[in-house]
Structures are given as C-alpha cells and as structure tokens.
Amino acid sequence: MIQALDASFGIPHDHVFLGSGHDKNERKTWAVIALCSVMMLVEIIGGSIFGSLALVADGLHMSTHASAMLIAALAYMYARKHANDRRFVFGTGKLGDLAGFASAIILAMIAILIGYEAVVRFLAPVAIRFGEAIPIAVVGLAVNVASAWLLSGADHGHGHGHGHSHDGDAPHSHGDEERVIETAIGPLKLSIFEDGVPPVFRIRTDRAALPAGDSITLATTRANGTQQVFSFTQRPGYLESTQPVPEPHEFKLVIRLPQGEYSSEFSEGHDDVDSRDHNMRAAYIHVMADAAVSVLAIIGLVLAKVFGWLWMDPLAGFIGALVIANWSYGLIRDTGAILVDISPGDSLSNKVRTAVESAGDTLVDLHVWRLGPGHFGAVVSLVSQVARHGPAFYHALLNRISGLSHITVEVHRPDS
C-alpha cells in the first residue's frame, strides 16, 4: 500500500519561489542600466562631436555593459510577472539562475577577447594616446564604482552561517543562536536544541539550582504577529520546552518568572539554505570585473606613459582577463549546478533523514533540489512502521525544516 501527499494537501499552496530581495534587486538593476545608458550616450555623442575615436569606443563598450545588466533586469521582471503562471511547474525561481548562467558565458567571452587582444598587442605593440586613454579609464572606473554602490546591499552572494553541534545532550548554541538573559535570579542561557526533530528550547544556568519548570514560561512573537507560549519541564541539568519550536527560529521573546518578565530576541541563519541571488551576483560580478579591468588599465597606462613600458598595457589587460575568467568560471559552476538539479549538499538531506528516522521509520528514497533563492523542494519516499502515520504527519514533520518550500511524501507500508 502506498500513499502520497504533496504540500498542497489541505493547506493553501503556491509555487512562488522568488528570493526575498527580488523586487529590490530588480529596481537596483534598472538604476544601473540607466546610469550606464546615460554614460554611453555622453561618450558616443561627445566623441563624435570632438572627434575622439577612443571616447566613442568606450561608449560602445559601455553599451555592452548596459546590455549585460539588461539580461538581469528582464529576468527579474519576467520571473515576477509569471510567478503564478502554472505552466512553470516549479515556479520561476530558477530564471535568475538561468540569467546568471547567460551572463557568466558573456563574461567568459569578454575574458577571451581581452586575452586575445592582449596577446596581439604583446606581439605587435601599438601607439597609445595617453592623453585620451587615461581619462577615459578613470571615467570608466568612476561609473563602475557608482554601479557597484547602486548594487550594494543586494543579496548577491552571501550565505548565512549556521553551525550545529550534536554533542550528546549539549544544545547547539553557536554565535547568535544562544541568548544569555539577565534575570533577578541570575543569567539564564537560552538555546534551541535540534539534534533530531522537532527542535525545542533549552534553558541552562551557571547557578547551583535551576528554577522550577512550572515557574517559567516563554512567549514568542514573530514578524507576522504570530504568538506562541511555551511551558517547560525539568531535565537533568536543564529545562526543556514541552512544545516544539517551529522554523524559522527568528522572533522576539519574553521569559516570564515569578520575579518578573525579561525580553530578548532570537535569530539564526542557515548555511544549508542557499538564498543567494545568482542573477544579482552576475550583475555585481560584471560591474566588479569592469572595475578591476579599469584599475589595471589605469596602472598599465600610467607606467607605460612614465617609463615607456608599452608592454605594461597588454600585461594589465591579460591579468584582467584571467580575473574575469576566474569569476566567470565560479558563476558558471554554481548556476549550472542549479539548472541541472545537482543536489545542494548533505545538510538539508540529513535534516530530512533525521526527521524521518526520529519517527521510527525508514527512508528509502530522497531528492532535494533548489527551486529558487532560499527555496528548496523535497521528494521523500519512506517505509512507515506506524499504521496511523499517513503522509500528512510527515508533511507536518518536514515543514518545520527551514528552506523546504515544496514537499512531496510517499508512504509505503511494510506489507507492501
């Protein structure tokens, strides 16, 4: 006998798997396009009026810069407009990764062209008009710095640290995951223990005696206004909440003791939940690659002008090509892995496995993949030893794991 259930069973359900900063990143990208377009027109028109071929050439280069940003902006816009289009089986969250992959290919082509031009100039040096070339390189650097500033603050490549220590009965309490709350009876150490599912609050103290479990409660308030009250029971050396702590573990909290109430906040990151926006990362890398090439060009041009080292200009270009190629390779590797549904790592899979096995069942097949920034899907097949545990039970169990946005569960019975 086989039963199956996906996340739509009995609850409202959508397939919107866009990153949390999607709209903000889209606006930032359009702002950079506007800046590059204005600069492009100024350089092309100015170069045409004053007869500067170098200025016109840099304006045309700026057009390729704007075109690369346009790929990112259109991907944001299309993904947002079609987020609820049911033709996209698992939403439009991967469109940003597709755009990032395309931008990475363009960056690789640019690196090849710059490298080729550098080799040609090594073999056949050309005269350099330093009076025009250096100011244009400085202007290009200024535009790239301004573009990087516009893109700053966007989620383009930062994961979140979330270490776990499963050391016997010791709660994992790393960095900001443990709170020391000063109270009238001394400092209380609050942490969340999740060596297995579900996670629970644990309270310890350096005092000789803990407060009685029935004398303390903890109330949480989440960003959406949801409130929950937790009671505690006595364990050897610590207090443990009798109710599980739902994910995500981010909320304001109040500990209530007979001596008074004490407020704090609790938050934790998850390095197993990849929330990187690779579309924005590609745009940012393009800007930084241009900036790096501008810096190297300025250095090469100044040295060539001062010391007559004409070979410094192509050398700087070749180094810039290597830098761009390296960044491009990293982006191609990361976005390509997402596009072909390579497993995102063992951490999320291990959490699912722990959840299933903690219920006394056997996991027989598991697939976890990324649906979009911060969103993952899971298809779980298991053998349940408990007849009353149907798919809905496991869906509720797995729904506590942060990052799992679409869950499908297949339950087999031992007699099948």
Side-chain angles (χ1 to χ4, degrees):
M1 176 182 173
I2 300 175
Q3 293 175 285
L5 174 75
D6 108 335
S8 61
F9 186 85
I11 59 173
H13 177 218
D14 61 41
H15 285 170
V16 179
F17 302 130
L18 305 181
S20 58
H22 188 93
D23 293 344
K24 180 179 68 174
N25 290 350
E26 180 181 352
R27 291 192 297 270
K28 287 176 178 289
T29 307
W30 283 115
V32 172
I33 291 173
L35 174 63
C36 293
S37 298
V38 169
M39 194 64 206
M40 174 190 71
L41 291 174
V42 168
E43 288 188 324
I44 291 176
I45 294 173
S48 300
I49 293 175
F50 299 111
S52 173
L53 181 60
L55 203 57
V56 172
D58 196 65
L60 293 174
H61 166 73
M62 195 61 68
S63 71
T64 64
H65 189 60
S67 298
M69 295 298 108
L70 187 61
I71 293 175
L74 292 177
Y76 279 127
M77 184 174 67
Y78 190 88
R80 172 174 50 82
K81 288 187 174 181
H82 294 272
N84 290 298
D85 190 335
R86 305 303 291 183
R87 293 178 300 171
F88 294 91
V89 178
F90 286 107
T92 56
K94 283 188 179 181
L95 283 175
D97 301 302
L98 179 60
F101 185 83
S103 293
I105 297 296
I106 293 174
L107 279 170
M109 294 173 64
I110 290 173
I112 291 172
L113 289 173
I114 293 175
Y116 173 78
E117 183 66 20
V119 172
V120 169
R121 292 200 176 197
F122 265 125
L123 299 176
V126 299
I128 301 174
R129 296 169 65 178
F130 296 106
E132 289 184 6
I134 293 177
I136 289 173
V138 171
V139 170
L141 176 60
V143 171
N144 287 314
V145 169
S147 298
W149 177 78
L150 286 171
L151 296 177
S152 64
D155 178 21
H156 49 74
H158 297 97
H160 301 282
H162 175 74
H164 290 268
S165 173
H166 297 171
D167 202 9
D169 283 335
H172 71 265
S173 52
H174 304 280
D176 63 345
E177 291 185 45
E178 182 179 70
R179 288 291 177 268
V180 177
I181 303 172
E182 296 293 338
T183 71
I185 62 172
L188 298 179
K189 296 181 179 180
L190 174 71
S191 60
I192 294 179
F193 179 78
E194 54 179 309
D195 189 5
V197 176
V200 291
F201 283 117
R202 283 188 176 179
I203 296 177
R204 297 176 184 267
T205 181
D206 293 332
R207 291 165 51 90
L210 281 163
D214 57 3
S215 70
I216 182 171
T217 60
L218 186 151
T220 61
T221 303
R222 298 180 180 272
N224 61 4
T226 303
Q227 296 183 333
Q228 187 174 2
V229 177
F230 297 83
S231 55
F232 287 82
T233 187
Q234 202 84 30
R235 302 291 188 200
Y238 57 90
L239 300 178
E240 184 173 277
S241 63
T242 56
Q243 300 95 346
V245 185
E247 296 270 10
H249 298 156
E250 296 185 11
F251 37 72
K252 294 180 179 179
L253 61 89
V254 176
I255 289 183
R256 298 189 177 101
L257 296 167
Q259 294 82 0
E261 296 185 353
Y262 306 92
S263 301
S264 185
E265 294 186 4
F266 201 99
S267 64
E268 65 173 0
H270 297 267
D271 60 8
D272 50 7
V273 180
D274 181 8
S275 59
R276 291 178 296 172
D277 184 336
H278 290 296
N279 192 20
M280 178 53 63
R281 179 185 169 200
Y284 193 78
I285 286 178
H286 193 98
V287 168
M288 295 306 296
D290 244 20
V293 170
S294 296
V295 170
L296 290 169
I298 292 170
I299 294 173
L301 288 168
V302 169
L303 292 176
K305 180 181 180 181
V306 174
F307 298 103
W309 299 342
L310 294 181
W311 51 267
M312 278 300 303
D313 181 57
L315 177 61
F318 190 78
I319 294 173
L322 292 178
V323 171
I324 295 174
N326 181 59
W327 289 346
S328 172
Y329 169 75
L331 192 57
I332 290 173
R333 178 194 60 211
D334 292 344
T335 55
I338 293 169
L339 293 175
V340 297
D341 293 329
I342 287 181
S343 175
D346 294 333
S347 187
L348 266 179
S349 298
N350 287 340
K351 282 194 172 186
V352 173
R353 186 179 305 277
T354 300
V356 171
E357 291 177 352
S358 69
D361 300 315
T362 304
L363 186 67
V364 294
D365 195 20
L366 173 63
H367 301 277
V368 178
W369 74 103
R370 184 172 132 141
L371 302 168
H375 297 279
F376 289 80
V379 175
V380 183
S381 181
L382 59 92
V383 176
S384 175
Q385 306 297 328
V386 183
R388 67 177 183 275
H389 286 175
F393 169 83
Y394 298 99
H395 175 262
L397 193 68
L398 298 175
N399 201 43
R400 299 186 181 119
I401 300 176
S402 180
L404 289 185
S405 302
H406 192 283
I407 304 167
T408 301
V409 180
E410 182 181 74
V411 180
H412 301 259
R413 301 302 177 196
D415 56 3
S416 65

